[in-house]
Amino acid sequence: MDYGGWFTARTGHGACHAAGVDMNTGKPARLKGPSPAAVPVLSDDERLTLERYSLAAAASNEGLYDWDLRTDRVYYGETWKALLGYAEDEIGSSPDEWLNRVDPDDLIWLQATLDAQASAGGKPFQIEYRITHRNGHVLWMMCRGIVVLDDDGEPTRIVGAQRDITDRKNAEEQLRLSEERYALAAQGANDGLWDWHVATDQLYCSPRWTAMLGIGGGARTSTMEDWYAQIDGEDRPRLRAAVDTHLAGGSAHLEEEVRTRHAGGAELWVLIRGVAIRDEEGEAIRMAGSMTDITARKRAEQQLLFDAFHDGLTRLPNRMLLLDRIGQALGRRRRPEEAQFAVMIFDIDHFKTVNDSLGPLVGDEVLCAVGQRLDGARRSGDTVARLSADEYGVLMDGVLDVKAAVDAAERLASAVAEPLTLSNGQEVVMNVTAGIALSGSGYASAGDMLRDAGLAMFRAKTSGRNRVEMFDDALRERALTRLRLESDLRHAVEGRQFRLFYQPIVRLADGTVAGFEALMRWFHPERGMIPPSDFVHLAEETGLILKMGRWALVEATRQLAEWQGRFSPDLFMSVNVSGRQLMEDDLVAAVTETLDTHRITPGTLKLEITESLLLDDPGRCLAIMEALKRKDVKLSLDDFGTGFSSLSYLHRYPIGTLKIDRSFVRAAGESDRRSAIARIITLLAQALDLEVIAEGIEKEAEADFLRGLHCQFGQGFHFAPPLPKEAVEDLMDARRRSHEVLEGLSALRGLPPKGR
């Protein structure tokens, strides 16, 4: 009988029935057993052997099966049924009980395997397939078996066992997925892989590893020493030590950044990671890992490091790097044999004019050119740095004394002062002002030394520019005094330490009080009253004048409103306005808000400005002054004649009052040419219908001289000093009582009262 293809030729898996099958039960007769006479008698050894097999099968948790090919009936062991979730009586003996539960994709291979067994000559087989459990989930089964042949070599039975291997298959699948993820991750990370067998010193390098180094031919096998030879000589000992440490158990894993060479000669930075695989005794037998190209990151880090310590425009060292090198020089200076050194600061004179007139691009060109000239003129070992917009610092080693330092600074300044031809063809000459600090002064920090060089440079600037100044202790003391004053001034603004004093402005014709000038006074809690000359310029520089000026404007206007109601509605008040107030604060809005809050007689608030303000931004000044005029605010030009006086001011700007400076008033009545200036100012004011106020009148002769010039108003100690509010009110009350007495006497005599 030809059994080849017998299984697949079956119809419904149960078409053939042969003798030896119990037709009532459907089970093979030999398994159920025929008549008692036909049951073989087993010896004790045979019975013991059968028992051992039964116990072994039970212990292995394998489901036995016995398929009688002649009757097409299958005996399914109880364990097999239990594996599928069925009870003993829930599965019959048909092959369909098995085959109909097999996954359709695996049934083809199972059929082919069983078909092959019919002609396999009794050789054992094994196959893994999926089958459906009673509750619907899928199990993986491993089926093992063997074909039993009769005396004629014909297959009569297939017997074997089946085992649930679902857990193993799931683990294999997870391992496969894990390996796949790792492979994809390694491919995505673009890493090269390496695997070193320690005992044989065989080093496997993946294709990506070799490609990274520009080595052709794909994967290769070499030795660890070959790899070490490719590492940069400075980094090689570090990598070797890290590998040895990890092999000895001194680190959890290997991770080192080293330099290597591409086959084309370029330097590469690589990150090498690895971990050792150890035997039961903890000895490393293999070591595997990855190699990542980090060249781009390292170059970016190097660029960031360079940018952190260098100026972006000139590419010179910046303040931070200069301070670091000054600090190193100070550390060396602590050794007696080290010569002293100098720190210099160079500031470009009038750079703002160049930048504003020629534009910022040309300004940048000038800054680069100055930096290049300083760097080109320095000695080897010296450092030139750009500190701020137009300031450069120089660290100069080996300076013998003050003269040597000054000579060196002047040499650098001369290099900068050479004519410079710009890219637009224009030629400019740039000068610098320098300040020097010498290390011999016993500095403890780099910041202190750089600060003192800056103080010396600032003094050189205020002394006329284009010069070199050496730092001395007096400069530091002045700087500390200024710093303390600035700190106290900030506290004064917040702590309401300011008060307004009022100096009467009188009519020279009859001596009556026409108004007041509000003058700020600072009452320091420890130093007492500080005059304006000591703090106004500092308030201007720090910007505190904006807040102080607003407060003075509001307080003076409030006081004027009170005095107009108490004494006379014609009283006026003059309030000084600084340059920063006019140009940076919204002065028009501040005045509008103040006038809305404190009602005063229109035209009685006067704002005093200086001539220098009109030079900074004439167009903007004119717009602001016109807006103030529309608010019935009068404008007074202070210290007229002392600055860049121009007749154009008087017809271009809406000025209503000129104030004659005290230097011209003091020359009145003397053979001093300055007295003629006072005369000219009053004549000019009369011609233009302007009021004139002379300040600083201290003598009656000066008052008489000004009356002769028909000057309308005067102020000074001859009439009254600046007074606090209470003293002003006492003065005004006394004058009113005196005036009332004079009016009474005049009435008795029938004469008009004096002063009317």
Side-chain angles (χ1 to χ4, degrees):
M1 178 178 181
D2 183 6
Y3 288 92
W6 172 88
F7 180 81
T8 53
R10 294 176 66 255
T11 301
H13 308 296
C16 296
H17 297 278
V21 177
D22 187 334
M23 301 306 294
N24 295 321
T25 63
K27 294 183 179 180
R30 52 180 167 63
L31 294 178
K32 182 179 180 183
S35 62
V39 175
V41 178
L42 298 178
S43 66
D44 291 340
D45 290 340
E46 289 174 332
R47 188 178 298 106
L48 181 60
T49 299
L50 181 61
E51 183 179 342
R52 290 192 185 112
Y53 277 116
S54 299
L55 291 173
S60 67
N61 198 29
E62 292 188 350
L64 303 179
Y65 68 92
D66 185 354
W67 190 344
D68 191 325
L69 301 179
R70 292 168 298 183
T71 63
D72 202 24
R73 295 297 181 193
V74 183
Y75 163 75
Y76 299 106
E78 184 177 353
T79 302
W80 187 89
K81 298 175 184 177
L83 289 175
L84 298 182
Y86 293 97
E88 171 69 21
D89 58 352
E90 289 184 305
I91 291 182
S93 60
S94 170
D96 293 336
E97 301 282 3
W98 174 11
L99 302 174
N100 286 344
R101 291 177 171 85
V102 176
D103 185 279
D105 291 336
D106 296 344
L107 182 59
I108 298 173
W109 302 108
L110 180 60
Q111 290 174 339
T113 300
L114 294 176
D115 276 343
Q117 302 316 307
S119 58
K123 293 181 180 180
F125 67 90
Q126 178 176 308
I127 186 173
E128 296 175 358
Y129 66 91
R130 287 165 292 180
I131 193 168
T132 303
H133 190 273
R134 180 177 187 176
N135 61 15
H137 70 266
V138 176
L139 300 177
W140 273 96
M141 302 290 284
M142 181 176 68
C143 175
R144 291 176 295 178
I146 190 170
V147 173
V148 179
L149 305 178
D150 61 13
D151 295 339
D152 298 327
E154 297 295 335
T156 60
R157 295 161 57 197
I158 301 177
V159 295
Q162 303 199 49
R163 185 175 187 174
D164 183 354
I165 59 169
T166 305
D167 290 342
R168 194 202 81 196
K169 295 295 285 187
N170 287 341
E172 290 176 354
E173 178 65 12
Q174 291 301 316
L175 179 61
R176 184 191 66 79
L177 291 175
S178 177
E179 291 174 347
E180 182 179 289
R181 291 190 192 103
Y182 177 76
L184 290 173
Q187 183 178 359
N190 213 17
D191 289 347
L193 304 180
W194 57 274
D195 187 357
W196 178 37
H197 288 256
V198 178
T200 62
D201 194 25
Q202 284 188 324
L203 177 69
Y204 165 80
C205 303
S206 71
R208 172 57 191 155
W209 192 98
T210 57
M212 194 181 300
L213 298 181
I215 302 172
R220 74 168 188 169
T221 301
S222 61
T223 66
M224 202 66 175
E225 288 300 323
D226 291 337
W227 188 14
Y228 285 144
Q230 293 177 284
I231 304 301
D232 185 91
E234 293 183 2
D235 299 341
R236 191 181 306 148
R238 177 163 48 85
L239 177 61
R240 188 189 295 270
V243 171
D244 291 344
T245 299
H246 181 62
L247 290 177
S251 62
H253 60 276
L254 170 71
E255 184 167 331
E256 287 292 327
E257 295 180 357
V258 295
R259 287 164 292 177
T260 186
R261 286 284 171 185
H262 189 272
E267 181 184 78
L268 296 178
W269 274 95
V270 293
L271 170 62
I272 296 174
R273 293 190 179 99
V275 66
I277 301 171
R278 305 179 185 276
D279 59 18
E280 295 178 353
E281 297 178 356
E283 292 294 325
I285 56 176
R286 286 175 61 192
M287 190 171 179
S290 64
M291 183 173 72
T292 308
D293 185 350
I294 59 170
T295 306
R297 173 170 70 80
K298 295 297 287 188
R299 287 175 180 168
E301 290 175 356
Q302 291 168 355
Q303 185 63 48
L304 287 173
L305 185 63
F306 181 87
D307 292 343
F309 292 99
H310 290 80
D311 174 56
L313 177 64
T314 64
R315 313 306 290 169
L316 292 172
N318 60 13
R319 179 185 296 271
M320 189 178 298
L321 183 54
L322 180 64
L323 285 170
D324 179 71
R325 292 184 179 175
I326 295 173
Q328 293 179 28
L330 286 173
R332 295 193 301 269
R333 182 72 178 81
R334 294 187 179 95
R335 297 193 293 268
E337 66 274 12
E338 288 288 338
Q340 66 179 342
F341 62 92
V343 172
M344 307 173 183
I345 292 184
F346 292 85
D347 185 88
I348 303 176
D349 296 334
H350 305 294
F351 174 72
K352 186 177 186 300
T353 303
V354 174
N355 208 42
D356 292 345
S357 58
L358 300 180
L361 293 179
V362 175
D364 288 348
E365 185 180 352
V366 170
L367 292 173
C368 290
V370 171
Q372 290 170 0
R373 289 185 173 186
L374 288 172
D375 194 49
R378 68 175 174 85
R379 302 173 311 173
S380 177
D382 294 343
T383 300
V384 174
R386 185 183 178 211
L387 304 181
S388 61
D390 57 347
E391 281 188 1
Y392 299 83
V394 177
L395 169 62
M396 186 173 291
D397 277 324
V399 178
L400 297 178
D401 50 27
V402 171
K403 183 179 184 304
V406 172
D407 289 344
E410 290 178 345
R411 176 176 59 83
L412 292 174
S414 297
V416 174
E418 292 292 327
L420 171 64
T421 301
L422 301 173
S423 58
N424 60 8
Q426 189 170 354
E427 185 177 277
V428 296
V429 175
M430 305 304 301
N431 293 312
V432 291
T433 298
I436 307 173
L438 281 177
S439 60
S441 300
Y443 289 99
S445 73
D448 291 345
M449 196 168 184
L450 194 63
R451 176 204 63 205
D452 287 352
L455 290 174
M457 184 274 295
F458 182 76
R459 181 170 67 179
K461 280 280 188 184
T462 57
S463 300
R465 302 175 187 271
N466 191 21
R467 54 188 295 144
V468 176
E469 287 280 354
M470 183 67 63
F471 175 80
D472 56 39
D473 291 335
L475 267 177
R476 183 185 293 121
E477 186 58 36
R478 285 197 293 270
L480 290 174
T481 300
R482 173 190 166 91
L483 184 63
R484 286 193 294 266
L485 185 63
E486 180 179 340
S487 177
D488 289 348
L489 186 59
R490 293 186 183 277
H491 287 300
V493 172
E494 302 299 330
R496 301 179 181 273
Q497 296 177 13
F498 294 101
R499 290 179 59 189
L500 288 183
F501 275 38
Y502 304 91
Q503 186 170 32
I505 300 174
V506 302
R507 298 181 183 89
L508 291 177
D510 57 12
T512 57
V513 176
F516 305 90
E517 180 179 1
L519 300 168
M520 191 176 294
R521 295 291 184 267
W522 177 10
F523 286 85
H524 193 280
E526 297 176 0
R527 299 169 57 189
M529 189 179 76
I530 301 176
S533 58
D534 289 353
F535 67 84
V536 169
H537 68 284
L538 184 59
E540 282 268 7
E541 293 176 10
T542 58
L544 293 172
I545 195 67
L546 299 178
K547 192 169 185 178
M548 294 162 58
R550 280 215 174 193
W551 171 81
L553 174 65
V554 172
E555 178 61 20
T557 306
R558 184 200 64 77
Q559 189 62 70
L560 176 61
E562 179 182 331
W563 286 344
Q564 283 183 347
R566 180 173 175 179
F567 301 117
S568 170
D570 297 329
L571 288 174
F572 64 81
M573 182 72 73
S574 292
V575 181
N576 292 283
V577 174
S578 74
R580 295 194 70 164
Q581 273 184 279
L582 188 66
M583 304 306 293
E584 297 181 22
D585 201 3
D586 192 349
L587 185 60
V588 176
V591 168
T592 301
E593 182 181 355
T594 302
L595 294 178
D596 290 342
T597 304
H598 306 290
R599 298 292 180 176
I600 61 173
T601 304
T604 57
L605 176 62
K606 294 186 178 184
L607 300 182
E608 293 190 8
I609 61 176
T610 59
E611 293 181 47
S612 60
L613 289 180
L614 306 180
L615 296 174
D616 294 337
D617 193 342
R620 187 176 178 191
C621 281
L622 178 60
I624 295 173
M625 293 167 72
E626 291 286 356
L628 291 170
K629 182 181 179 181
R630 290 192 291 271
K631 297 292 181 181
D632 283 329
V633 174
K634 300 295 182 64
L635 296 170
S636 177
L637 194 59
D638 198 10
D639 301 333
F640 185 75
T642 60
F644 301 95
S645 301
S646 172
L647 296 180
S648 64
Y649 299 160
L650 305 181
H651 73 82
R652 182 179 181 186
Y653 297 100
I655 297 169
T657 303
L658 299 180
K659 294 195 74 172
I660 302 177
D661 186 74
R662 67 187 63 195
S663 61
F664 304 132
V665 171
R666 289 175 184 173
E670 302 177 5
S671 57
D672 193 318
R673 296 177 62 182
R674 289 178 297 174
S675 63
I677 297 177
R679 187 184 305 275
I680 292 171
I681 292 174
T682 55
L683 291 174
L684 182 62
Q686 291 168 13
L688 297 176
D689 195 24
L690 301 176
E691 294 180 345
V692 180
I693 299 176
E695 58 182 353
I697 300 174
E698 297 181 355
K699 303 175 182 178
E700 179 61 28
E702 295 169 355
D704 287 340
F705 172 74
L706 292 166
R707 290 191 192 97
L709 298 180
H710 302 288
C711 178
Q712 295 99 320
F713 304 101
Q715 66 182 101
F717 279 76
H718 177 63
F719 304 108
L723 300 170
K725 168 185 178 295
E726 297 78 11
V728 169
E729 292 174 350
D730 291 343
L731 173 66
M732 294 297 288
D733 286 336
R735 284 183 172 246
R736 183 169 58 183
R737 289 193 296 269
S738 176
H739 183 70
E740 290 173 351
V741 170
L742 290 176
E743 280 188 332
L745 291 174
S746 298
L748 291 174
R749 298 173 182 174
L751 298 173
K754 186 177 181 181
R756 287 294 185 97

